[in-house]
Amino acid sequence: MKLLTKNSARATLLTMAVSMVMQVSAGEVLIDTWRTDDKDLWEDVIIPAFNKHHPDIKVTYRPTNPPDYNATMDSRFKGGTAGDLIACRPFEVSLSWYHKGNLKSLQQQPGLDNFPAFAKAAWSDQGVPYCMPIASVLHGFFYNEEIFSELSLTVPKTEAEFFAVLDAIKKEGSYLPMALGSNDKWEDYEVAYAGVGPNYWHGETGRQGIIDGQRKFTDQPFVDAWKYMAKWRPYLGKGYQSQTYSDSQTLFTLGRAAIYPGGSWEISGFNKAIEGEFEYSAFYPPVQKAGDQCYITDHVDIGMGINKQANNPTDAAVFLEWVASAEFADLYTNKVSGFFSLSNHDIAVKDPVAAEIKSWRDNCQSTVRLHSQIKADGILGSLYDASAGVLNATRTPEQAAADVQAVLDSQ
């Protein structure tokens, strides 16, 4: 056997060490998420940007149909097939995954210092972070600017003005006044009720009141928000009870509906679908009467954690640190238009509709979706059923409120 010289032995050891480091640092990272709408942007823009810094880490984006995400991830955690990185919804769902041991503590994760306390609070357990904040979304109404111009309509600031606009569109007859269905139910609560309701329960005052038990869903502000939604029925499309969320989006992007209650997360998809065929913008939920304080749902929407059983936790942490960078914040805000970075980085919003929506924070008080942090099994489903029931006229606003409160009281 040929003996190695001292120098050649050192070289061999160095090569082995480098090889071992390469084996540890290089690998594949799988991201599980519900964001189906962003698949192309992640694959074509965000992941390639990350790979400029870390070309040896292959990142795969695996989206799941949003309504199925929670259940799908429960199954994947149990079956050991969950990805390395997990997109985190705020508060209870992700917290339950952390409590079950599915998500790692991020207490030592680099990059978390780039986020304010309120953003980290949505994904922390007694001060221990388990998901890194990414972005928030805002709720309101999109409108077709060309239809508004054609019918000489102005953006409504009060509910009276809002119904005057809807009446004018309906009377003229060429367009559907408002695109909203009740087949899927979730948008009737998460977009509609949770979007316009804060003007009634005064945002965080009402939400915190429900959480600490000082307020009930049967209190007048919460009932009145459903009464307001019930008045929308005459302006919805024929057969709206079987109209899906996707159907409503299509009605708006084809220019057939003048107004669409939605959220900023839809801007990227709208831009792609509309392709410049018409101009559109957005307005925040009109207040009950002139002079009232306006409230907006500015929901901490998405974070990202590391699977405790990840195949490649080291590279997952590398990716997560990059998620905390100014580069990612700029890409996510301006490429995934309508998602506003929760980081402290000063990001200029380039999309005009996204910039308009972000400007609402200057005048209106922010809150998050009403059900957030309410610890009651079934509360979200009951809010879906209640809000869709009110739109379908199968429940009165008072019945809807009583049904939801009954779920809360049964815990």
Side-chain angles (χ1 to χ4, degrees):
M1 177 182 291
K2 183 179 179 181
L3 296 176
L4 297 175
T5 64
K6 185 179 290 185
N7 286 340
S8 63
R10 285 176 177 167
T12 301
L13 287 171
L14 179 60
T15 301
M16 290 174 64
V18 170
S19 176
M20 289 175 68
V21 170
M22 290 293 289
Q23 288 175 12
V24 170
S25 63
E28 298 186 4
V29 172
L30 176 62
I31 299 174
D32 272 320
T33 177
W34 70 89
R35 286 295 305 162
T36 54
D37 291 349
D38 306 337
K39 184 173 185 294
D40 290 345
L41 286 165
W42 274 84
E43 293 180 344
D44 298 340
V45 178
I46 293 175
I47 293 172
F50 168 75
N51 283 142
K52 288 181 180 177
H53 304 285
H54 302 281
D56 295 329
I57 300 177
K58 178 183 178 182
V59 181
T60 302
Y61 188 81
R62 181 169 66 176
T64 297
N65 185 35
D68 302 329
Y69 183 66
N70 297 352
T72 298
M73 290 313 303
D74 284 338
S75 298
R76 286 176 179 165
F77 283 131
K78 289 178 182 176
T81 59
D84 301 275
L85 288 166
I86 311 299
C88 301
R89 284 175 163 144
F91 304 113
E92 282 68 29
V93 174
S94 300
L95 179 61
S96 73
W97 291 342
Y98 176 68
H99 283 168
K100 292 174 183 175
N102 296 321
L103 296 175
K104 287 184 61 175
S105 162
L106 296 184
Q107 207 153 20
Q108 304 303 320
Q109 173 65 40
L112 272 172
D113 290 344
N114 293 337
F115 296 89
F118 88 89
K120 289 186 281 193
W123 295 284
S124 294
D125 182 32
Q126 299 181 353
V128 178
Y130 51 84
C131 293
M132 181 171 285
I134 292 183
S136 69
V137 293
L138 278 72
H139 297 220
F141 293 86
F142 293 100
Y143 69 99
N144 184 315
E145 289 187 308
E146 293 185 13
I147 294 176
F148 268 51
S149 177
E150 177 185 335
L151 303 183
S152 300
L153 302 173
T154 56
V155 170
K157 298 295 185 184
T158 66
E159 291 184 3
E161 293 173 357
F162 183 54
F163 284 113
V165 166
L166 292 171
D167 283 332
I169 299 166
K170 184 177 181 180
K171 183 178 180 181
E172 195 277 337
S174 298
Y175 308 100
L176 177 65
M178 183 157 59
L180 176 66
S182 57
N183 183 79
D184 295 347
K185 297 183 180 179
W186 73 267
E187 70 269 36
D188 303 326
Y189 161 66
E190 294 198 35
V191 176
Y193 186 70
V196 302
N199 277 336
Y200 285 84
W201 57 74
H202 296 171
E204 282 297 279
T205 299
R207 190 181 76 86
Q208 292 295 337
I210 291 287
I211 292 171
D212 62 25
Q214 298 300 308
R215 302 284 181 87
K216 293 181 179 295
F217 281 99
T218 49
D219 289 350
Q220 205 60 51
F222 301 94
V223 176
D224 285 347
W226 273 309
K227 287 183 177 178
Y228 173 45
M229 282 178 56
K231 295 178 183 176
W232 296 0
R233 293 174 199 145
Y235 309 102
L236 305 181
K238 184 178 181 181
Y240 69 87
Q241 298 87 345
S242 59
Q243 183 176 311
T244 67
Y245 174 61
S246 178
D247 292 336
S248 300
Q249 290 179 311
T250 301
L251 284 167
F252 182 74
T253 57
L254 289 178
R256 295 176 183 171
I259 296 173
Y260 171 85
S264 60
W265 63 89
E266 300 178 275
I267 292 174
S268 292
F270 281 1
N271 288 345
K272 189 174 181 179
I274 294 170
E275 293 184 312
E277 288 295 316
F278 60 85
E279 298 296 323
Y280 74 101
S281 190
F283 57 86
Y284 57 78
V287 297
Q288 294 179 65
K289 61 181 186 302
D292 284 356
Q293 171 66 53
C294 58
Y295 294 86
I296 52 172
T297 296
D298 185 355
H299 193 68
V300 284
D301 188 68
I302 185 169
M304 187 169 286
I306 299 176
N307 180 0
K308 206 168 185 178
Q309 305 302 321
N311 291 324
N312 191 354
T314 301
D315 287 343
V318 170
F319 187 87
L320 207 54
E321 183 176 2
W322 181 73
V323 166
S325 69
E327 180 184 16
F328 177 86
D330 186 273
L331 283 173
Y332 204 77
T333 299
N334 285 307
K335 296 296 183 182
V336 190
S337 297
F339 282 79
F340 305 104
S341 172
L342 285 165
S343 74
N344 292 323
H345 304 297
D346 186 16
I347 305 299
V349 180
K350 298 173 184 173
D351 183 276
V353 181
E356 165 61 30
I357 290 177
K358 187 183 179 186
S359 74
W360 300 346
R361 289 173 173 169
D362 297 337
N363 299 315
C364 302
Q365 292 188 18
S366 295
T367 183
V368 297
R369 290 174 190 153
L370 180 60
H371 71 281
S372 301
Q373 295 179 290
I374 296 177
K375 301 183 184 305
D377 292 340
I379 191 70
L380 187 57
S382 69
L383 284 162
Y384 288 0
D385 290 339
S387 300
V390 167
L391 281 180
N392 291 342
T394 56
R395 297 187 195 190
T396 66
E398 290 81 3
Q399 288 171 331
D403 291 345
V404 175
Q405 186 60 41
V407 172
L408 195 58
D409 291 341
S410 68
Q411 307 295 310

